[in-house]
Amino acid sequence: MSKKNINQLISSYLLGRSSEEESAQLEKWLQADPRHQEFLDQFAKKKEFSHLFRQYMTIDEEQAWQVFEQQTIHAKQRLVPLSPRFYRIAAVILILLVGGAFWYHREYTRVTPPMITEEVQLAMVQSRESGRAGADIVSSFTSREQVISQEECDLYHVDEDFVEHLEEAKRITTRHDKEYWVTLDDGTLVHLNYNSRLIYPEKFGDRRDVILDGEAYFMVAKDKRRKFVVHTPQGDIKVYGTEFNVNTRKDEEAVSVVLVNGSVSFISSAGKEMVMQPGQELTAVDTQLLVTTIDTAPYVAWNTGLFVFKNSTLEYIMDVLSQWYGIHQVNYANDSLRKICFTGNLKRYGNIDRILEAIMLACDLKIQLSDDTITIQE
């Protein structure tokens, strides 16, 4: 159904002039998408419309038409000005039609880029200055290398329409000690963690789909017309504009989605869908979906240049630091040291010596770094 037809249906409905056929068409349009009903309700509540509608209802249309008809009949060789009331009627109807079209276009085609905080901007600068920002980039424009294979299309449940969009695409791959920030065509900002890969079209068309392997933090541009979809081997994450973290490395057969704000739904490869709320983590293993309430601070923090540990075990902390700083081995004097817990915020782009010193003082331990090996003693 064209926008012109939709505007005419809405105008007739708001003026109480809908025929049975028009009412049926409008009802069908409203049922096609919940956002259509929201649009209609919002438009009807607008102060400007209420004022114009009240003004329109004060017009005596029959009398206005009689005046127009009389003026036309008695006009000889000259052009007779139309009644001001006629112009009022025409103006109101025109405003309704044009206003409806403008409102629809503005609300349902507008793309709003995410707000990037100063903390995130500073983290991006620090990442570049510290040499942490880096990735291998393959573009279909500049490389003969294939951006995505048929096996990968099958793995990520990519349909034929999306495959066509990937004919002009990029693949960004980070290494074990690198991260990368990328702004997509619609303004969406993606922060790729280490050992991660993102495949996405150079230009978005009528859909916004990307493929993720690894971990990334998404700040999605708001677009009511086109949902944003992240494809993973375990299923798809669908959103319209929000912030969330996706990790396909949590387990060999699992994917983790942490919702910071907004609303997203996860659809498993088996077709099961679950809607998430802010502050929740969804873990998908095969066809099983588990949702728990968590603290999102650590997931936001890594996106702003911090490590945030809250009652985390020393073993977990050392695993994180080893991956980030390229530590090959961690030796514990005894296994009980692995279970010692630590809480604190540490600078992600700081020197590892300072980080180890902070942990050592807080936990009253002896921690030594020699070459690529950390030794922990009481």
Side-chain angles (χ1 to χ4, degrees), residues 296-310:
T296 61
Y299 298 91
V300 176
W302 84 268
N303 193 51
T304 57
L306 292 174
F307 289 119
V308 174
F309 299 113
K310 291 190 176 182

Side-chain angles (χ1 to χ4, degrees), residues 284-304:
V285 183
D286 294 329
T287 59
Q288 301 299 315
L289 304 181
L290 174 65
V291 174
T292 56
T293 300
I294 65 168
D295 180 9
T296 61
Y299 298 91
V300 176
W302 84 268
N303 193 51
T304 57

